[in-house]
Amino acid sequence: MKRTPVIEMKGISKRFPGVIANDKISFRVYPGEIHALLGENGAGKSTLMSILAGLYRPDNGIIKVQGRAVKLDSPRKALEAGIGMIYQHFRLVDNFTVAENIVLGAPKSPSKINREQMETETRRVSQSYGLTINPGARVHQLSLGEQQRVEIIKMLYRGCEVLIMDEPTTVLTPGEVKELFEILRAMSRQGKSIVLITHKLNEVMEIADYVTVLRRGRVVGEDRIENLDEGRLTRMMVAREVAYSQVKRDKSVGQVVLSVDRLKVQGDLGYLAVKQASFDLRQGEIMAIAGVAGNGQKELVEALVGIRSSVSGTVEYQGEEINHLNVRERISLGINMVPEDRIGTGLVPNLSIIDNSILRNYYKEEFFTGFFLNYKKVRRYTEGIVDKYNVYFSDLKHPVNYLSGGNLQKLLLGREIEQKPRVLLASYPVRGLDVAAAEDIYGLLLKERDKGTAILLVLEDLEDIFRIADRVAVMYQGSISGILEVNKTSIDEIGSLMVGAQLTGVENG
């Protein structure tokens, strides 16, 4: 008996100025299937799924749901058709309770509903899928794994039969990833279909039933998971073998450049996000900050670069205290930052590639003729960055939000490196990037380390920490619970520190 796909997309094309994001793509998902959608950054994955979720309208092609042609011209229409998308950055109201986030705004919610009814409805849906959650808890009190669970329940409450999940494991700990996969398998057994947009091949091999690979807006391969391996998937994604860099560690690092002593930093909600942090960062080394997201890493980096004031403690650069210096003054010393938020904090989405390339140093004399910016000089400077760091683009005058994640990150990192930093702070530099783009970014960081730059990286992938870092500092509940030499520790040891375990013989920060 021939099965009917729950979702069928035929001949889908989508163009943006200067870019064909999707080129006659056909894609189908069957009931109860966990379907992985793979591809390099800019391959068209997110565009295709945004069309399915009603955010974009295709230029050509048809979409069928349960065998019937539909027009998904809004997210509401997609939800009515049983299709929901869970984004990498959760769309929850922090000050609302779990129940309020799940019930409010849902089409089937009654016009009048009290808190007790909302919590009852939340329990009913969560228990039917084995999803444990406290309906009365406020979202800002939850871990990222719990917040993701709220997003899943929210879509199930709205009657979704197809869940699209964009990079669902990016912000999760290994334990939370395991829990998520158990949830997805349970949903699959109950007939729900799941589409995973991801770049983590090991997770695809573990969880997916079927894989579709996109490259440059086209489908280049699809098959059941039992017929595939990581090597074949990589070759389909990037059309070449990815040669992972073998990191050679030079034990003779230089002198201390940045010294942090008993630093305390306040978070946005008035609590101490960094309770006490002490460490030294040396020339020519990469120190990784490991920890579950939300344990003070963001506030620590912002305090080091001058975006956020410290409550107490000291930050010294080459032996001189710099607590009183602002961001520009610290940049002039050679302290540069690549923030975790590429678009918004790092780059301005509606400004051109040219404008974004000089955001940090637009005031320098080299860009001026008299009192005015010389755009010929600025353009030459930008062309130098995009050529040197292999940033692919359609037009330098286009807004940067036209770029893929990998190209955004290379532009951002290249801009900071071109200022010849002595200290480089980078948060989650490969988050959401495919295997080839991530390798490019790590290659740039290793070259910078070899030039003698002191690099502090906030990372989430423990395997990457062991491949690229010299030392690792683990943060737990705002404190550095241990500083370890990477070649003298293990993933299990770091994982234990991440959840608050106390280990003997470990240097505390």
Side-chain angles (χ1 to χ4, degrees):
M1 183 177 176
K2 188 178 179 180
R3 290 195 302 161
T4 301
V6 64
I7 295 293
E8 187 170 14
M9 307 176 80
K10 288 185 176 180
I12 298 295
S13 295
K14 181 65 179 178
R15 297 170 181 83
F16 297 102
V19 177
I20 301 176
N22 294 153
D23 188 6
K24 299 176 183 176
I25 290 178
S26 293
F27 177 79
R28 60 182 60 84
V29 183
Y30 289 91
E33 181 178 79
I34 300 177
H35 195 128
L37 185 60
L38 281 176
E40 289 188 272
N41 291 98
K45 310 183 299 294
S46 294
T47 299
L48 184 68
M49 290 300 99
S50 292
I51 289 170
L52 187 57
L55 285 173
Y56 295 152
R57 297 183 186 183
D59 299 325
N60 303 101
I62 62 170
I63 300 173
K64 291 183 178 181
V65 178
Q66 304 285 8
R68 296 174 54 191
V70 295
K71 188 175 182 181
L72 305 177
D73 52 10
S74 71
R76 174 73 70 183
K77 287 286 183 66
L79 284 170
E80 290 172 356
I83 303 165
M85 187 163 179
I86 298 173
Y87 297 88
Q88 191 173 336
H89 302 289
F90 305 140
R91 300 189 172 188
L92 301 170
V93 183
D94 282 354
N95 290 327
F96 280 16
T97 67
V98 169
E100 287 168 342
N101 271 281
I102 288 168
V103 174
L104 295 183
K108 66 179 182 179
S109 295
S111 57
K112 292 183 179 180
I113 185 170
N114 59 37
R115 185 179 302 277
E116 185 179 342
Q117 290 172 311
M118 284 193 288
E119 293 185 0
T120 299
E121 283 289 291
T122 299
R123 287 192 189 92
R124 178 184 63 79
V125 178
S126 62
Q127 288 173 3
S128 64
Y129 290 93
L131 296 164
T132 305
I133 201 76
N134 176 7
R138 298 198 178 274
V139 165
H140 68 78
Q141 299 172 320
L142 305 179
S143 70
L144 289 169
E146 289 171 324
Q147 289 182 32
Q148 186 179 69
R149 203 170 295 175
V150 175
E151 287 278 24
I152 293 172
I153 297 170
K154 188 169 73 173
M155 291 303 166
L156 294 172
Y157 179 75
R158 284 156 174 75
C160 291
E161 293 297 321
V162 178
L163 264 71
I164 306 164
M165 303 189 75
D166 188 5
E167 299 288 354
T169 65
T170 295
V171 296
L172 304 183
T173 65
E176 288 173 328
V177 171
K178 185 178 179 181
E179 289 177 7
L180 173 64
F181 285 178
E182 289 172 356
I183 290 167
L184 297 183
R185 290 188 184 102
M187 291 169 59
S188 172
R189 288 193 293 269
Q190 294 189 40
K192 302 292 182 184
S193 302
I194 298 137
V195 180
L196 300 180
I197 305 172
T198 184
H199 68 283
K200 297 184 177 180
L201 299 183
N202 60 323
E203 294 178 357
V204 170
M205 298 303 298
E206 181 179 348
I207 189 68
D209 300 312
Y210 200 90
V211 182
T212 296
V213 182
L214 301 186
R215 188 168 72 238
R216 296 179 182 176
R218 293 184 174 182
V219 174
V220 293
E222 54 181 322
D223 208 338
R224 292 199 60 79
I225 196 66
E226 55 263 30
N227 300 326
L228 298 166
D229 58 40
E230 290 190 24
R232 185 179 169 195
L233 287 174
T234 301
R235 289 191 293 275
M236 283 195 288
M237 284 171 61
V238 301
R240 65 185 187 277
E241 294 285 352
V242 176
Y244 291 97
S245 57
Q246 296 299 312
V247 180
K248 294 181 179 179
R249 293 192 174 90
D250 185 356
K251 294 182 180 179
S252 59
V253 296
Q255 65 183 11
V256 172
V257 182
L258 193 72
S259 183
V260 179
D261 184 35
R262 293 172 292 180
L263 192 68
K264 294 182 179 180
V265 185
Q266 199 169 52
D268 293 333
L269 298 177
Y271 59 90
L272 274 182
V274 179
K275 295 175 182 175
Q276 187 151 299
S278 299
F279 62 88
D280 292 330
L281 186 63
R282 300 176 178 86
Q283 287 179 335
E285 79 162 340
I286 294 177
M287 175 184 271
I289 300 287
V292 179
N295 274 273
Q297 301 98 312
K298 177 175 179 285
E299 292 81 3
L300 173 62
V301 172
E302 289 179 351
L304 297 180
V305 80
I307 294 174
R308 188 182 294 267
S309 299
S310 57
V311 174
S312 63
T314 59
V315 179
E316 292 184 355
Y317 175 77
Q318 294 187 327
E320 297 290 331
E321 186 178 328
I322 61 170
N323 291 53
H324 61 287
L325 298 184
N326 61 33
V327 175
R328 183 184 288 190
E329 290 168 332
R330 297 191 196 201
I331 290 173
S332 68
L333 290 176
I335 302 173
N336 288 70
M337 175 189 181
V338 177
E340 62 179 291
D341 181 14
R342 295 170 201 144
I343 290 288
T345 304
L347 301 165
V348 180
N350 293 322
L351 290 184
S352 69
I353 299 171
I354 293 175
D355 291 335
N356 272 283
S357 71
I358 60 165
L359 278 181
R360 292 286 206 184
N361 55 354
Y362 64 88
Y363 51 86
K364 292 187 175 179
E365 290 183 6
E366 63 188 280
F367 299 127
F368 280 83
T369 298
F371 293 103
F372 300 99
L373 273 173
N374 185 322
Y375 264 85
K376 286 186 178 179
K377 294 181 179 179
V378 174
R379 186 182 182 91
R380 283 198 298 271
Y381 177 78
T382 304
E383 287 171 346
I385 291 177
V386 299
D387 288 345
K388 185 174 181 180
Y389 298 96
N390 297 317
V391 180
Y392 295 103
F393 61 94
S394 56
D395 192 320
L396 286 176
K397 293 181 179 179
H398 280 168
V400 292
N401 57 8
Y402 284 14
L403 299 179
S404 69
N407 287 311
L408 284 170
Q409 194 71 335
K410 284 189 282 187
L411 175 64
L412 184 53
L413 186 57
R415 184 187 73 189
E416 301 304 311
I417 290 175
E418 284 303 295
Q419 295 178 66
K420 298 179 172 56
R422 299 291 305 281
V423 176
L424 183 61
L425 314 171
S427 297
Y428 307 108
V430 300
R431 175 178 279 176
L433 303 189
D434 61 70
V435 62
E439 193 63 16
D440 287 344
I441 296 300
Y442 282 146
L444 292 172
L445 290 169
L446 289 168
K447 285 180 183 178
E448 198 62 19
R449 180 203 67 176
D450 293 343
K451 288 191 287 185
T453 305
I455 300 175
L456 185 73
L457 296 183
V458 181
L459 295 176
E460 57 201 352
D461 192 317
L462 296 184
E463 291 184 2
D464 284 349
I465 288 173
F466 275 83
R467 193 160 62 85
I468 193 172
D470 301 297
R471 290 190 296 152
V472 55
V474 182
M475 289 197 74
Y476 176 71
Q477 293 186 350
S479 299
I480 293 181
S481 55
I483 300 175
L484 305 146
E485 296 282 344
V486 166
N487 58 5
K488 295 179 182 178
T489 187
S490 66
I491 286 181
D492 290 340
E493 194 169 35
I494 293 175
S496 297
L497 289 170
M498 285 171 64
V499 295
Q502 299 294 318
L503 303 179
T504 58
V506 174
E507 176 189 352
N508 293 318

